[in-house]
Amino acid sequence: MKYIFKLDERGYCEDEETLLISKSDPTPEGYTDVMMPDGLVRARFVNGEWVEGATQEEINRILKPPEYEPTETQLIAQQVTDHEISDMAQWQNITELEIQSMEQGQKITVMEIEQMMQGQAQTDQELRLLELEAKLNV
């Protein structure tokens, strides 16, 4: 099976006249069996190949997304989404502040541990000094 494409007198494809025939059947006059590539807005068959037949203005007009007024439901949904995004941004800020607070708390804890270790070292030195003094006084 093969597709054949009906061409008008200027070589434009007449989409409604595209047919599927047996490969063994001859291609009728006014048709072509050259496969049309994807992506053409207005296909035109010229000198044995498919080319874009639409002007840039036509392409822009066809490919331009339609303009429409959003419904009330869509407007409300957008407002809800905007509020949710704002809430997420605020929660992100709070989370970042909490992380900073925990990091500062960790630094304080490390400093307190270092102070306790210094205090322990000083206590050990004082005990050693007392022991030495006790041996001298014996």
Side-chain angles (χ1 to χ4, degrees):
M1 300 300 285
K2 65 180 178 180
Y3 283 101
I4 57 172
F5 304 93
K6 173 83 170 155
L7 305 173
D8 70 11
E9 65 279 351
R10 296 184 341 204
Y12 288 101
C13 177
E14 297 181 14
D15 290 331
E16 64 277 354
E17 298 292 325
T18 298
L19 304 173
L20 185 61
I21 63 171
S22 172
K23 282 189 177 185
S24 60
D25 289 343
T27 302
E29 184 71 29
Y31 285 81
T32 182
D33 62 355
V34 175
M35 282 304 295
M36 186 185 316
D38 291 332
L40 296 177
V41 172
R42 188 168 177 221
R44 185 174 184 200
F45 196 70
V46 178
N47 297 325
E49 66 180 4
W50 289 104
V51 297
E52 180 58 70
T55 65
Q56 189 61 48
E57 183 178 295
E58 291 172 318
I59 293 170
N60 292 344
R61 187 177 61 248
I62 291 169
L63 297 180
K64 180 181 177 186
E67 294 182 20
Y68 67 95
E69 289 294 319
T71 66
E72 187 173 339
T73 302
Q74 290 171 325
L75 290 171
I76 292 169
Q78 184 62 52
Q79 288 174 348
V80 169
T81 301
D82 291 344
H83 286 295
E84 288 174 343
I85 290 170
S86 175
D87 288 349
M88 286 190 288
Q90 289 175 358
W91 280 110
Q92 178 67 31
N93 289 338
I94 290 169
T95 302
E96 288 172 359
L97 290 171
E98 288 173 337
I99 289 170
Q100 289 175 359
S101 176
M102 289 188 317
E103 288 172 346
Q104 289 174 351
Q106 186 177 11
K107 288 177 184 176
I108 291 170
T109 301
V110 167
M111 289 171 45
E112 288 172 342
I113 291 171
E114 288 174 352
Q115 280 181 331
M116 290 186 333
M117 290 172 63
Q118 289 173 355
Q120 182 65 46
Q122 185 175 352
T123 301
D124 289 346
Q125 288 176 355
E126 289 172 355
L127 285 173
R128 180 74 178 136
L129 183 59
L130 288 172
E131 288 173 358
L132 289 174
E133 286 176 351
K135 284 183 183 182
L136 288 174
N137 290 333
V138 177

